[in-house]
Amino acid sequence: MMAHALLQTWPEDDRDLLPLALWDAAAIAEATGGVASGSFQVSGVEMDSRDVREGDLFVALRGEAMDGHRFLEAAFANGAAAALVDREVPYPHVRVADTTAALHALAAASRRRADAVRIGVTGSVGKTGVKEAIFAALDRSSRGAAHRSVRSYNNHVGVPLSLARMPARSRYGVFEMGMNHAGEIDVLTGHVQPHVAVVTTIAPAHIENLGSEEAIADAKAEIFGGLGEGGIAVIPADSPHFARLRDHALAAGAKICAFGRGPDADMRLLDAIPQGHGGALVTAELNGTRLCYSVSEPGEHWIDNSLCVMAAVHAAGGDLAAAGLALAEMGGLKGRGARHRIEVPGGKATLIDESYNANPASMRATLRQLGQTPAGRRIAVLGAMKELGDFSARFHEQLAEPIGAANIDHVVLVGEEMRPLYRHLGKEAAAVLGNGGTFAHCASAADAIEALEEYGLTAGDAVLVKGSNSVGLGALVARLTGAN
């Protein structure tokens, strides 16, 4: 009787009336203006036949060099339930005039049908980690009703794809937005139309295309243009471009929630006590209320990231206690800070995997983190930082200072862009590597593997691997972890 009474008083939620399937044929056809070949349901949406899982809708996109229709057979062999196509095919499908336009239409329909608070995340550094942390916090407090873009699906295809994947019953959606040129964020925020727009930081990433940090700030600020009435801009109070970002947000009609350490911060750091595992116990203040939580991720930059996460969760109406628990439990992301204990002669060494991305700001942050990591020896394998244009030689050479400050014993530099730093270390080795450290330069990731094997890792070493993804240092990580 007690259970029956509780069921009778269970609170009603309009979301309970929404379909459990992600999409069915009729809904896809209505959203895209297409014609369905029959009745079907799908549980996911995918554009790469290699990543298709059982029950997915495969979107056969057409590009300048590739036509997704060529991979229909592979997609259905991997378990696709149906396809979005621009021609008749011998599989369950919805036929449309243009599959790219249809994906955008499906994304818009997904945005409209889900009564979800949408959070857009951009920034020069840290956007993927911050996006994952915001998702973890909101997913915990909503008991699994949060959605986010996976991996780094943050471009003109990845963002609408991530929207199309959002279940109708979602309470929150967290979407990463990336850019290489001015105007790109404007298009992406038009897709998402966020209620909360987050800028993690401004740094000289993609400066080759934009020319200055001010121009980068302006391009990132395009995210505020998607905010509707009552939208909230979460911005870094400690950035030298704070006023520029604030003015852009205010011009878009947004409210401001700033995070940081200075007096302009609404979510303001009061104290951070390092913990033995490399994280920190953080005390912050928001509107006169003190918050205390643990951050499992190591490094000073993750203290700042945590303030950004807390500000975003607060702006989205989420649970700050759940956010604190999520930050305490997060593990490093593959290629973005994941730590491994690897077998080496005599025992184990620590591997810090930052192989997915690199720019001057993130290089400095992770080198500082390596310097704070307890180790018998510290080794850094540093790949080239891409898209720096005419600033490349200067920014690479300037890495000598954080390398020296981190007390690194051996540095392996990878890629032609690292040559200015190699020459600088050759001239200034005594001053920069005051601990008697050594350094080498390699043309490729394959050469770096050989150079590191020749150097020889031993028990107690800490090894940082960081570089732009195109350098291919993920292969080095795979070799060291035994993943290949």
Side-chain angles (χ1 to χ4, degrees):
M1 290 296 293
M2 178 68 73
H4 181 68
L6 288 172
L7 285 172
Q8 286 184 320
T9 59
W10 190 268
E12 294 185 3
D13 190 328
D14 290 343
R15 288 180 177 83
D16 295 337
L17 302 177
L18 295 170
L20 287 172
L22 181 62
W23 295 101
D24 62 28
I28 297 169
E30 181 180 359
T32 62
V35 178
S37 64
S39 297
F40 56 79
Q41 293 182 331
V42 299
S43 55
V45 183
E46 186 53 72
M47 63 179 180
D48 189 326
S49 63
R50 296 166 297 183
D51 294 331
V52 165
R53 295 185 179 183
E54 194 75 30
D56 278 351
L57 172 72
F58 174 63
V59 183
L61 296 176
R62 295 181 64 181
E64 293 181 4
M66 195 66 66
D67 183 352
H69 294 81
R70 293 172 49 194
F71 303 98
L72 282 165
E73 183 177 351
F76 280 90
N78 284 340
L84 191 61
V85 295
D86 63 11
R87 65 198 69 168
E88 289 295 328
V89 297
Y91 303 103
H93 66 272
V94 172
R95 182 178 178 181
V96 297
D98 183 314
T99 52
T100 297
L103 176 60
H104 292 175
L106 196 63
S110 179
R111 185 190 66 238
R112 289 191 298 267
R113 73 175 181 173
D115 185 23
V117 177
R118 297 181 299 278
I119 301 98
V121 181
T122 192
S124 302
V125 182
K127 55 184 176 289
T128 299
V130 165
K131 176 258 297 181
E132 290 292 325
I134 294 171
F135 165 76
L138 296 174
D139 198 53
R140 175 186 282 271
S141 63
S142 66
R143 300 184 180 182
H147 171 75
R148 95 296 204 176
S149 50
V150 298
R151 291 180 281 186
S152 289
Y153 277 22
N154 62 15
N155 64 8
H156 65 288
V157 176
V159 169
L161 181 69
S162 298
L163 271 166
R165 290 171 166 176
M166 182 167 61
R169 299 186 178 201
S170 298
R171 293 180 181 273
Y172 300 97
V174 191
F175 301 94
E176 181 179 336
M177 301 182 199
M179 41 113 350
N180 295 311
H181 298 83
E184 291 177 343
I185 294 289
D186 185 53
V187 174
L188 301 181
T189 196
H191 285 302
V192 175
Q193 297 180 19
H195 301 94
V196 179
V198 179
V199 177
T200 60
T201 190
I202 302 298
H206 312 303
I207 199 168
E208 175 183 19
N209 301 321
L210 291 158
S212 69
E213 285 195 15
E214 290 77 13
I216 293 170
D218 291 340
K220 296 294 185 184
E222 291 171 10
I223 193 173
F224 306 138
L227 292 171
E229 184 177 352
I232 300 174
V234 176
I235 58 177
D238 302 330
S239 170
H241 307 288
F242 168 70
R244 198 178 195 94
L245 293 171
R246 179 199 60 206
D247 291 347
H248 278 294
L250 291 174
K255 301 175 184 177
I256 305 295
C257 184
F259 65 91
R261 305 174 184 232
D264 290 320
D266 301 292
M267 180 68 72
R268 185 167 63 90
L269 179 69
L270 297 180
D271 191 25
I273 302 172
Q275 295 183 306
H277 58 74
L281 179 66
V282 175
T283 303
E285 184 176 64
L286 173 66
N287 299 331
T289 299
R290 291 199 171 190
L291 310 170
C292 189
Y293 56 90
S294 292
V295 179
S296 63
E297 297 278 12
E300 283 283 320
H301 59 295
W302 259 103
I303 295 171
D304 297 318
N305 284 350
S306 77
L307 299 172
C308 179
V309 171
M310 285 293 193
V313 170
H314 171 69
D319 186 331
L320 292 178
L325 292 172
L327 286 165
E329 294 176 355
M330 275 194 72
L333 304 174
K334 180 181 179 181
R336 300 178 184 274
R339 291 195 169 207
H340 305 273
R341 295 289 288 167
I342 59 174
E343 295 287 345
V344 295
K348 290 184 178 291
T350 298
L351 172 64
I352 305 171
D353 177 15
E354 288 274 1
S355 59
Y356 189 82
N357 202 3
N359 59 53
S362 64
M363 275 286 197
R364 285 177 174 272
T366 48
L367 285 167
R368 189 182 312 116
Q369 177 186 336
L370 177 61
Q372 296 168 350
T373 301
R377 298 183 305 177
R378 298 182 180 91
I379 299 105
V381 182
L382 306 178
M385 301 180 290
K386 301 295 186 177
E387 298 186 27
L388 295 177
D390 294 339
F391 302 87
S392 180
R394 182 178 67 178
F395 280 128
H396 282 87
E397 189 173 289
Q398 287 175 351
L399 293 179
E401 184 271 325
I403 288 172
N407 198 31
I408 295 175
D409 295 273
H410 185 61
V411 183
V412 179
L413 306 174
V414 187
E416 184 60 30
E417 294 91 339
M418 279 290 181
R419 193 169 294 280
L421 175 58
Y422 178 67
R423 287 196 294 263
H424 182 73
L425 292 178
K427 296 175 184 176
E428 306 290 340
V432 176
L433 300 174
N435 60 340
T438 55
F439 56 96
H441 180 256
C442 302
S444 67
D447 293 337
I449 293 172
E450 293 184 9
L452 200 59
E453 290 176 347
E454 182 178 339
Y455 179 73
L457 299 181
T458 61
D461 286 348
V463 186
L464 168 66
V465 179
K466 185 167 183 64
S468 292
N469 190 43
S470 60
V471 179
L473 292 181
L476 174 60
V477 173
R479 172 71 68 89
L480 292 175
T481 58
N484 63 352

